[in-house]
Amino acid sequence: MANQSQLGFQDASSPIMEELVEFHDHALMVALAICSLVLYLLTLMLAEKLSSNTVDAQEVELIWTILPAIVLILLALPSLQILYMMDEIDEPDLTLKAIGHQWYWAYEYTDFKDLTFDSYMIPTTELPSGHFRLLEVDHRIVIPMESPIRIIITANDVLHSWAVPSLGVKTDAIPGRLNQTSFITTRPGVFYGQCSEICGANHSYMPIVVESTPLTHFEHWSTLL
């Protein structure tokens, strides 16, 4: 859960999000090294007069041509690896369908019979004490932890986007089209997200709440609905 004055990402709760955070740190270190080198060269140029031999040196031109190419490769390889990991869906334990409406989410557990519900944001006037304003819903998504989850996402009216930052998930919900993604929660907890597509007047009032529980608790919850 994000908090005030937070500068970094939310705590990663899935392997994909852990990879994304590591890649973010890797890219920032590369950017810091480039900025430091450029600042040093600018300072050197202002403080000292470079000779014509240095300015016209072919060795320097070769270095500033090859070095950026190497940097781009160092950024592209881990980025492509993460992209392929995000697209890989291999024998999920549970399939969940999310349907975006104006302005709420509907969910279907396709592996169960008649396990469907709508998820509306709880109004501020009805919000229980200690719950988060504009983020809590009347029906949470409950999933078993440490299990591969596939989620199929679509919309019933306009464009929406199903996003949970701590799980590293963000997929567009498009009318007439099915998009899918997958994730694994590495720990129990409650993870919050919101629609990340400007879908209308109440765009900011359709939050997403995912509750990760042990398998026994999930089985008990599914029998109660």
Side-chain angles (χ1 to χ4, degrees):
M1 179 64 193
N3 53 62
Q4 293 182 356
S5 70
Q6 178 175 327
L7 299 179
F9 293 101
Q10 298 181 25
D11 293 338
S13 303
S14 70
I16 290 295
M17 191 59 193
E18 293 176 359
E19 293 288 339
L20 289 173
V21 172
E22 290 181 4
F23 175 71
H24 171 266
D25 296 341
H26 169 68
L28 280 187
M29 292 305 297
V30 173
L32 178 62
I34 294 174
C35 292
S36 301
L37 178 60
V38 172
L39 181 61
Y40 170 75
L41 293 176
L42 286 175
T43 305
L44 192 63
M45 292 177 63
L46 294 174
E48 300 181 11
K49 184 178 179 180
L50 298 180
S51 64
S52 58
N53 293 333
T54 304
V55 175
D56 298 333
Q58 293 184 358
E59 293 80 3
V60 176
E61 295 180 3
L62 188 63
I63 291 174
W64 73 42
T65 301
I66 295 179
L67 188 59
I70 296 176
V71 172
L72 289 176
I73 292 175
L74 293 176
L75 291 175
L77 291 180
S79 175
L80 290 174
Q81 181 183 14
I82 296 175
L83 285 175
Y84 279 109
M85 290 174 59
M86 294 174 68
D87 287 338
E88 184 176 355
I89 300 177
D90 186 21
E91 296 182 0
D93 292 343
L94 180 67
T95 298
L96 179 66
K97 185 177 181 180
I99 306 172
H101 300 267
Q102 289 184 316
W103 286 272
Y104 65 95
W105 293 96
Y107 297 101
E108 301 177 4
Y109 286 75
T110 58
D111 297 309
F112 295 83
K113 184 178 180 180
D114 297 331
L115 183 49
T116 62
F117 56 84
D118 296 333
S119 181
Y120 289 88
M121 186 196 75
I122 299 179
T124 304
T125 55
E126 303 175 9
L127 193 65
S129 177
H131 289 240
F132 296 108
R133 176 178 172 269
L134 301 181
L135 287 177
E136 194 58 65
V137 296
D138 55 357
H139 292 95
R140 296 175 174 177
I141 308 168
V142 180
I143 59 172
M145 61 176 290
E146 297 181 342
S147 299
I149 307 297
R150 175 176 62 181
I151 179 166
I152 300 173
I153 302 168
T154 187
N156 192 43
D157 35 47
V158 298
L159 292 176
H160 299 279
S161 184
W162 201 86
V164 182
S166 60
L167 299 179
V169 178
K170 183 179 184 295
T171 304
D172 288 339
I174 303 173
R177 176 173 177 175
L178 295 177
N179 290 331
Q180 67 175 354
T181 187
S182 65
F183 59 88
I184 301 175
T185 56
T186 55
R187 58 186 175 90
V190 180
F191 314 114
Y192 295 89
Q194 291 177 303
C195 174
S196 296
E197 191 74 50
I198 300 178
C199 56
N202 293 330
H203 154 68
S204 58
Y205 299 99
M206 49 184 305
I208 302 162
V209 183
V210 179
E211 183 175 350
S212 174
T213 64
L215 180 59
T216 54
H217 292 183
F218 170 77
E219 292 176 344
H220 176 69
W221 171 83
S222 64
T223 59
L224 297 178
L225 293 180

